[in-house]
Amino acid sequence: MITPEALTDFMQETFTNARFIVKTVDNGHCTMIQEIGEEQLRPGGTVSGPTLMGLADAAMYGAIIGALGLNDTSIMSVTTSLNINFLRKPKADDGVKAVCDLIKVGKRLIIGEISLYSVGEEDKPVAHVVATYSVPG
Amino acid sequence: MITPEALTDFMQETFTNARFIVKTVDNGHCTMIQEIGEEQLRPGGTVSGPTLMGLADAAMYGAIIGALGLNDTSIMSVTTSLNINFLRKPKADDGVKAVCDLIKVGKRLIIGEISLYSVGEEDKPVAHVVATYSVPG
Amino acid sequence: MITPEALTDFMQETFTNARFIVKTVDNGHCTMIQEIGEEQLRPGGTVSGPTLMGLADAAMYGAIIGALGLNDTSIMSVTTSLNINFLRKPKADDGVKAVCDLIKVGKRLIIGEISLYSVGEEDKPVAHVVATYSVPG
Amino acid sequence: MITPEALTDFMQETFTNARFIVKTVDNGHCTMIQEIGEEQLRPGGTVSGPTLMGLADAAMYGAIIGALGLNDTSIMSVTTSLNINFLRKPKADDGVKAVCDLIKVGKRLIIGEISLYSVGEEDKPVAHVVATYSVPG
């Protein structure tokens, strides 16, 4: 199993515009934090919707790497669809946390759900995502 | 009806990290182009998923302003949910175009669909979005 | 191209609990009407949500047969995901109409959108659906 | 809190075409079983998609009644959107089970997720749903 540190390095090389820090990664699960800077904020200080969508997508990518290993198959898997419900206004201060669980790992498609939280308020999700990735080959 | 130029100014003040240019705006419709720079790209030169989601969301915001006028109600409306299907790999070169049609403008919720295209290849959508906005009040 | 009459026969053999009548079928498009009986109604006379979801799903199945022909590949394709927005209360009287357009016909996945209307009120959709089918093989 | 028996009675009066049996109901949670008969099957013996969508929808309705009580507000709440991912082929034999958790109970919108299982195979969901209900008033 790839370590959180190794996966963090991979994520930061792949997604250079975001500061993702992997907290845990396991077979089918990944938790990740994104530190929030100016470019992820909307006027009024709230975290932008696309930032939340990008974090959810990255956490799922991490969970897929946890499930399949870090190899061509996992690396080349791509998002085919994503559904997000925005639930509460996120606080930007301490970052945003994504918790991803894969619901099904198929030969062609992987379905996962991701809950997003303001760091420090992890009883009240700010958004909920269900996403589907396509596995190459 | 707000002009494309005036709506472009408003969008660029509101979304400072993206270069949105409104092409058309009408009651329930909006077309918008986003010029693609380094920060919207993924390794390999493709436009990132969150960039496409953000453009779709902005085009719907524009269509809502077209439907309700530029006022507190339209400005303060917020995305409650967004569903995106990624269809084809976008070409980054000439920007990405969003075409939004509102399907229903209700008192509380507005539902719209947005098709996204690589500029110059407007017969083959790169993504399709359905989004819901909540109207304040 | 399969005729509307032949596709109607196929649909009625396959979906014995619903009265589907195919109006048009073409490469990537299908329009279909469902006659509404007691078992599709909710108290108060409105058409049930699952009835609308089933009609949208069937119209997409018809559009896929129109695109691929009536063969093992099209017949064995299955819905992998469906997203529905309920827009207006449907009138049950004259049936419900589904208009399906396929957005992308891929080797593995087919994405389509379906608008649903009360027959006779076809300027005001009662629901909007985006669905994905998986193609076998 | 309404009892499972009382909620079962209410569900069977409201949804006369389905045999829903409520197993548990709590503030924000509901589990429900649907007995499968001929009319819910597809050729080949699999449970139809609309049947699964209807069960998920009913389980969420039950969870909303658990959260708000059985009153005009909960009874008159309606589904505004539903998103389903079909994961595995359900076995029809012993019925289908729905487990609903409400993610957010707002003044206007309630968002919930529902996992569906073949009874007896409750480690492998056959479908996953996220749905939004609108609260009247």
Side-chain angles (χ1 to χ4, degrees):
Chain A
M1 178 59 55
I2 189 170
T3 65
E5 294 75 23
L7 185 56
T8 296
D9 288 346
F10 175 78
M11 295 305 259
Q12 293 196 355
E13 287 161 16
T14 307
F15 302 96
T16 53
N17 290 325
R19 285 176 289 270
F20 294 132
I21 300 168
V22 178
K23 291 298 186 181
T24 70
V25 57
D26 214 325
N27 184 355
H29 309 279
C30 181
T31 60
M32 184 180 295
I33 289 186
Q34 181 176 9
E35 297 173 335
I36 298 302
E38 273 304 312
E39 62 278 16
Q40 285 96 21
L41 293 178
R42 277 281 154 78
T46 187
V47 181
S48 78
T51 296
L52 296 178
M53 294 185 248
L55 171 58
D57 196 44
M60 182 150 170
Y61 193 49
I64 290 173
I65 291 167
L68 303 184
L70 184 64
N71 48 50
D72 284 348
T73 303
S74 63
I75 290 172
M76 300 291 292
S77 64
V78 287
T79 321
T80 54
S81 67
L82 185 146
N83 187 283
I84 183 165
N85 277 284
F86 296 99
L87 305 173
R88 299 175 178 85
K89 197 164 181 170
K91 287 177 23 174
D93 308 18
D94 297 312
V96 185
K97 178 176 178 178
V99 179
C100 176
D101 294 298
L102 299 183
I103 301 175
K104 184 184 176 195
V105 180
K107 291 196 181 63
R108 293 174 154 200
L109 296 179
I110 298 177
I111 297 98
E113 65 166 320
I114 307 98
S115 293
L116 299 170
Y117 306 88
S118 298
V119 169
E121 297 201 341
E122 290 161 40
D123 55 322
K124 297 180 300 189
V126 298
H128 180 267
V129 174
V130 180
T132 301
Y133 265 71
S134 175
V135 183
Chain B
M1 178 59 56
I2 189 169
T3 65
E5 293 75 24
L7 185 56
T8 296
D9 288 343
F10 175 78
M11 297 303 259
Q12 293 196 354
E13 287 161 15
T14 307
F15 303 96
T16 53
N17 290 326
R19 284 176 289 271
F20 294 132
I21 300 168
V22 177
K23 291 297 185 182
T24 70
V25 57
D26 213 326
N27 183 356
H29 309 279
C30 182
T31 59
M32 185 179 294
I33 289 185
Q34 181 176 9
E35 298 174 333
I36 298 301
E38 273 304 312
E39 61 279 18
Q40 284 96 22
L41 293 178
R42 276 282 156 77
T46 188
V47 182
S48 78
T51 296
L52 295 178
M53 293 184 249
L55 171 57
D57 195 46
M60 181 150 170
Y61 194 48
I64 290 173
I65 291 168
L68 303 184
L70 184 66
N71 48 50
D72 285 348
T73 303
S74 63
I75 290 172
M76 299 292 293
S77 65
V78 287
T79 322
T80 53
S81 68
L82 185 147
N83 186 283
I84 183 165
N85 277 284
F86 297 100
L87 305 173
R88 298 174 177 86
K89 198 166 181 170
K91 288 178 22 173
D93 307 20
D94 296 313
V96 185
K97 178 176 178 177
V99 178
C100 176
D101 294 298
L102 300 183
I103 301 174
K104 184 184 177 197
V105 180
K107 290 195 179 62
R108 293 176 156 198
L109 296 179
I110 297 177
I111 296 98
E113 64 166 323
I114 307 98
S115 293
L116 298 170
Y117 306 88
S118 297
V119 168
E121 297 201 342
E122 290 160 40
D123 54 323
K124 296 180 300 189
V126 299
H128 180 267
V129 174
V130 180
T132 301
Y133 264 72
S134 176
V135 183
Chain C
M1 177 60 53
I2 189 170
T3 65
E5 294 75 24
L7 185 55
T8 296
D9 288 345
F10 175 77
M11 296 305 259
Q12 292 195 354
E13 286 162 14
T14 307
F15 302 96
T16 53
N17 290 326
R19 285 175 290 269
F20 294 132
I21 300 168
V22 177
K23 291 297 186 181
T24 70
V25 56
D26 213 326
N27 183 356
H29 308 278
C30 182
T31 59
M32 185 179 296
I33 288 185
Q34 181 176 10
E35 298 174 334
I36 298 300
E38 273 305 312
E39 61 278 15
Q40 285 95 21
L41 294 177
R42 278 280 155 77
T46 188
V47 182
S48 77
T51 296
L52 296 178
M53 293 184 248
L55 171 59
D57 196 45
M60 182 150 169
Y61 194 48
I64 290 173
I65 291 167
L68 303 184
L70 183 65
N71 49 49
D72 284 347
T73 302
S74 63
I75 290 171
M76 301 292 292
S77 64
V78 288
T79 321
T80 54
S81 67
L82 185 147
N83 186 284
I84 182 165
N85 276 283
F86 296 100
L87 304 173
R88 299 175 177 85
K89 199 163 181 171
K91 288 178 21 173
D93 308 18
D94 297 314
V96 186
K97 177 176 179 178
V99 178
C100 177
D101 294 298
L102 300 182
I103 302 175
K104 184 184 176 195
V105 181
K107 291 196 178 65
R108 294 175 154 198
L109 296 179
I110 298 177
I111 296 98
E113 65 166 322
I114 307 97
S115 293
L116 299 170
Y117 306 89
S118 297
V119 169
E121 296 201 342
E122 290 159 39
D123 55 323
K124 295 181 301 188
V126 299
H128 180 269
V129 175
V130 180
T132 301
Y133 265 72
S134 176
V135 182
Chain D
M1 177 61 54
I2 189 171
T3 65
E5 294 74 23
L7 186 56
T8 295
D9 289 345
F10 175 76
M11 296 305 259
Q12 293 196 354
E13 287 162 16
T14 307
F15 302 96
T16 54
N17 291 325
R19 285 177 288 269
F20 294 132
I21 300 167
V22 177
K23 291 297 185 180
T24 69
V25 57
D26 213 325
N27 183 356
H29 309 278
C30 182
T31 59
M32 185 179 295
I33 288 186
Q34 181 175 9
E35 298 174 334
I36 297 302
E38 273 304 314
E39 62 277 16
Q40 284 95 23
L41 293 177
R42 277 281 154 78
T46 187
V47 182
S48 77
T51 296
L52 296 178
M53 292 184 250
L55 171 58
D57 196 44
M60 182 151 169
Y61 194 48
I64 290 173
I65 291 167
L68 303 184
L70 183 65
N71 49 50
D72 284 348
T73 304
S74 62
I75 289 171
M76 301 291 293
S77 63
V78 288
T79 322
T80 54
S81 68
L82 184 146
N83 188 283
I84 182 165
N85 276 283
F86 296 100
L87 305 173
R88 299 174 177 85
K89 198 165 182 169
K91 288 178 21 174
D93 308 20
D94 297 313
V96 186
K97 177 176 179 178
V99 179
C100 176
D101 294 297
L102 299 183
I103 302 175
K104 184 183 176 197
V105 181
K107 291 196 178 63
R108 293 174 155 200
L109 296 179
I110 298 178
I111 296 98
E113 65 166 323
I114 307 98
S115 293
L116 298 170
Y117 306 89
S118 297
V119 168
E121 297 200 342
E122 289 160 41
D123 55 323
K124 296 181 299 189
V126 298
H128 180 269
V129 174
V130 180
T132 301
Y133 264 72
S134 176
V135 182

